[in-house]
């Protein structure tokens, strides 16, 4: 598949996943870790069913050193752990901050790629990334302003707000660094994407269960004992809504993450970092537009144009030749 095709599929998967997560979190505050554990477990289980991927259980079949897999899996877990914690300790007034900070991932990836991996970027690519980041910030401030009339007004305590910002900044650097590191390893030791995805899902499941296993058990037990039954349109039967949303989330998010790993190996970490930014922005836009009681401020559309125009400009920009370095 081409880079634009994989990019579009990753954004679509992330958008579906974000739909599931936002609605589930509104019903059960702090349950994002449940989604993360199921993402990892689903990725590992589906990989185990494939003989071509199951062979990576044998050290002799793996091309990359175990240290890289451990590091990738650790960073893979730290990112959502920090982001989920930031959301769990804050309230609705923190959402714009969450989106703004997360929207700067492409800038962080570019800076880390240049500083740590020696990546070279054209002027067009640099300008495209900054246009995207500017547009994301403008759009992010437009969405909550459109929704403010119907908001609950819940505010976060000042010290928790600052802790939340710190957690998000650490999350931002971790995720950008993970993408840059993967791209660096792929360049020097081969694009072993399937191997990395398999090992990240397996080791990631173990790490995340160790961190949040008890919390996940409590949430799932509650959903099993007291499910919210919701009728399915045109079908005539009810489904447990928590598990339906969970399914949408972990299936969409895992596939988005898997495709982002492919992008790290076959394009750049910057393009990979555009994926979560785009699906979060699109989710916010759709949420506002579907609410007939609000109207998006006019400047929001300028931000949207910058986000999509800058992303398209980066995607189709000519590839920059990178200087070869010894492994």
């Amino acid at each position: 598949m081409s880079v634009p095709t994989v990019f579009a599929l990753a954004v679509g998967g992330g958008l579906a996943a974000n739909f599931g997560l936002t609605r589930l979190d509104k019903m059960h505050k702090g349950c994002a870790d449940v989604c993360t554990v199921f993402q990892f477990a689903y990725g590992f289980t589906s990989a185990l069913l494939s003989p071509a991927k199951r062979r990576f259980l044998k050290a002799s079949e793996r091309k990359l050193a175990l240290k890289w897999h451990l590091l990738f899996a650790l960073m893979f877990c730290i990112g959502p752990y920090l982001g989920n914690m930031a959301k769990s300790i804050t309230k609705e007034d923190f959402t714009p901050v969450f989106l703004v900070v997360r929207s700067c991932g492409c800038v962080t990836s570019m800076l880390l790629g240049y500083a740590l991996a020696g990546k070279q970027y054209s002027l067009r690519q640099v300008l495209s990334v900054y246009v995207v980041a500017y547009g994301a910030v403008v759009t992010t401030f437009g969405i909550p302003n459109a929704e403010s009339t119907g908001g609950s007004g819940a505010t976060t305590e000042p010290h928790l707000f600052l802790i939340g910002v710190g957690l998000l900044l650490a999350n931002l650097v971790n995720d950008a660094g993970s993408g840059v590191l993967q791209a660096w390893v792929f360049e020097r030791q081969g694009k072993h994407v399937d191997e990395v995805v398999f090992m990240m899902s397996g080791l990631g499941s173990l790490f995340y269960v160790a961190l949040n296993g008890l919390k996940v058990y409590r949430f799932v037990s509650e959903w099993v004992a007291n499910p919210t039954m919701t009728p399915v349109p045109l079908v005539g039967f009810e489904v447990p809504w928590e598990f339906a949303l969970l399914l949408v989330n972990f299936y969409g998010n895992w596939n988005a993450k898997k495709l982002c790993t492919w992008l790290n190996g076959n394009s750049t970490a910057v393009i990979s970092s555009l994926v979560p930014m785009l699906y979060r922005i699109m989710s916010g836009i759709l949420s506002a537009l579907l609410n007939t009681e609000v109207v998006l401020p006019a400047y929001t559309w300028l931000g949207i144009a910058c986000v999509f125009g800058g992303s398209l400009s980066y995607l189709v920009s000519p590839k920059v030749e990178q200087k070869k370095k010894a492994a």
Side-chain angles (χ1 to χ4, degrees), residues 134-216:
Y134 169 78
V137 172
V138 170
T139 304
T140 296
F141 279 109
I143 293 170
N145 284 339
E147 298 176 329
S148 60
T149 57
S152 65
T155 57
T156 306
E157 295 178 27
H159 72 285
L160 292 178
F161 198 96
L162 290 175
I163 293 173
V165 171
L167 290 169
L168 280 185
L169 290 174
N171 167 258
L172 182 71
V173 173
N174 175 83
D175 288 357
S178 176
V180 169
L181 179 62
Q182 285 182 11
W184 184 87
V185 172
F186 286 151
E187 285 180 0
R188 284 155 177 77
Q189 301 190 30
K191 299 175 182 178
H192 306 294
V193 176
D194 285 343
E195 177 184 331
V196 169
V197 171
F198 178 83
M199 295 299 291
M200 277 200 310
S201 61
L203 293 171
S205 298
L206 295 175
F207 291 161
Y208 218 85
V209 167
L211 286 171
N212 284 301
L214 183 58
K215 180 179 180 181
V216 171

Side-chain angles (χ1 to χ4, degrees), residues 231-238:
V232 179
L234 304 176
V235 177
F237 62 85
E238 296 183 333

Side-chain angles (χ1 to χ4, degrees), residues 14-325:
L15 185 60
N18 204 59
F19 168 84
L21 175 60
T22 52
R23 279 148 185 77
L24 194 55
D25 194 58
K26 283 182 180 180
M27 295 169 64
H28 303 277
K29 180 69 174 175
C31 69
D33 289 317
V34 179
C35 297
T36 304
V37 167
F38 273 80
Q39 289 164 28
F40 291 169
Y42 166 74
F44 187 57
T45 302
S46 60
L48 282 175
L49 297 176
S50 168
K53 297 176 182 178
R54 193 166 58 241
R55 62 188 176 88
F56 295 130
L57 288 170
K58 298 179 181 179
S60 59
E61 294 288 338
R62 298 196 292 267
K63 304 299 181 183
L64 299 180
L66 182 59
K67 65 178 182 180
W68 295 122
H69 293 306
L70 289 169
L71 187 55
F72 292 157
L74 185 61
M75 297 179 78
F76 198 45
C77 287
I78 289 175
Y81 180 76
L82 294 173
N84 292 346
M85 185 181 294
K87 291 188 70 175
S88 68
I89 65 172
T90 55
K91 294 184 171 62
E92 292 177 15
D93 63 325
F94 193 75
T95 299
V97 178
F98 179 86
L99 291 172
V100 167
V101 174
R102 294 294 293 161
S103 297
C104 296
C106 53
V107 177
T108 309
S109 290
M110 178 170 279
L111 292 173
L112 290 178
Y114 177 79
L116 302 180
K119 286 285 186 180
Q120 303 296 313
Y121 302 98
S122 66
L123 178 60
R124 175 176 171 177
Q125 289 175 325
V126 173
L127 291 177
S128 296
V129 162
Y130 280 95
V131 167
V132 169
Y134 169 78
V137 172
V138 170
T139 304
T140 296
F141 279 109
I143 293 170
N145 284 339
E147 298 176 329
S148 60
T149 57
S152 65
T155 57
T156 306
E157 295 178 27
H159 72 285
L160 292 178
F161 198 96
L162 290 175
I163 293 173
V165 171
L167 290 169
L168 280 185
L169 290 174
N171 167 258
L172 182 71
V173 173
N174 175 83
D175 288 357
S178 176
V180 169
L181 179 62
Q182 285 182 11
W184 184 87
V185 172
F186 286 151
E187 285 180 0
R188 284 155 177 77
Q189 301 190 30
K191 299 175 182 178
H192 306 294
V193 176
D194 285 343
E195 177 184 331
V196 169
V197 171
F198 178 83
M199 295 299 291
M200 277 200 310
S201 61
L203 293 171
S205 298
L206 295 175
F207 291 161
Y208 218 85
V209 167
L211 286 171
N212 284 301
L214 183 58
K215 180 179 180 181
V216 171
Y217 173 78
R218 287 172 178 167
F219 272 112
V220 174
S221 297
E222 178 187 346
W223 299 347
V224 170
N226 302 292
T228 303
M229 302 303 294
T230 303
V232 179
L234 304 176
V235 177
F237 62 85
E238 296 183 333
V239 297
W241 193 227
E242 287 91 352
F243 289 101
L245 292 173
L246 181 62
L247 174 63
V248 170
N249 174 268
F250 75 69
Y251 183 79
N253 210 332
W254 176 256
N255 282 285
K257 288 180 177 180
K258 182 172 64 176
L259 292 172
C260 283
T261 303
W262 186 94
L263 289 171
N264 286 332
N266 294 276
S267 60
T268 67
V270 175
I271 289 180
S272 176
S273 68
L274 289 173
V275 171
M277 182 210 68
L278 277 173
Y279 71 65
R280 288 188 180 101
I281 290 293
M282 290 171 66
S283 178
I285 294 168
L286 290 173
S287 176
L289 291 177
L290 290 174
N291 186 342
T292 57
E293 298 178 358
V294 301
V295 177
L296 287 170
Y299 63 81
T300 307
W301 297 105
L302 170 63
I304 293 169
C306 289
V307 168
F308 288 96
S311 298
L312 180 62
S313 175
Y314 193 100
L315 278 170
V316 301
S317 62
K319 188 175 181 179
V320 177
E321 286 294 326
Q322 304 295 326
K323 296 178 181 178
K324 298 292 184 180
K325 291 189 177 184

